Amino acid sequence: DVEENRVVEKSAHFVDEADVEEAIDQIGLGVFHWEVFLVVGLFQAADAIEMGFISFVTAVLKTEWGFDESDKATMESMVFIGMAIGAPTWGW
């Protein structure tokens, strides 16, 4: 429905309509938007670091705990199993 995608701005003398894109352009980027951008960026960075970190940890644990390749692969895949269970649980 086109009306659902419209933002209506009311004033004392007139009613002006704008679509969602125009409304976002009028609002602009504020401090809140940059804070959200920063927080989401940090979470993305932490997720990327986790993927790099797990490869170093499993290499050390393979030697120290006597893992074979299948144990190492199982340990590395636990991250993805956690994501597969956690994402639907939290609503992603």
Side-chain angles (χ1 to χ4, degrees), residues 4-87:
E4 291 177 6
N5 293 331
R6 296 261 180 210
V7 176
V8 178
E9 181 182 310
K10 295 182 180 180
S11 135
H13 303 291
F14 66 91
V15 175
D16 188 21
E17 289 187 2
D19 62 12
V20 175
E21 186 176 336
E22 290 171 350
I24 291 172
D25 287 341
Q26 286 178 352
I27 293 170
L29 288 175
V31 174
F32 173 76
H33 300 102
W34 288 109
E35 288 174 351
V36 169
F37 183 71
L38 177 67
V39 168
V40 170
L42 289 174
F43 276 108
Q44 289 288 342
D47 194 39
I49 290 169
E50 177 186 18
M51 293 297 113
F53 180 72
I54 197 74
S55 65
F56 290 112
V57 169
T58 54
V60 170
L61 291 180
K62 179 182 174 190
T63 305
E64 197 166 313
W65 290 355
F67 282 172
D68 59 5
E69 283 300 316
S70 67
D71 292 333
K72 181 182 172 201
T74 302
M75 184 179 236
E76 290 172 345
S77 66
M78 288 298 133
V79 173
F80 300 108
I81 292 171
M83 287 180 187
I85 294 169

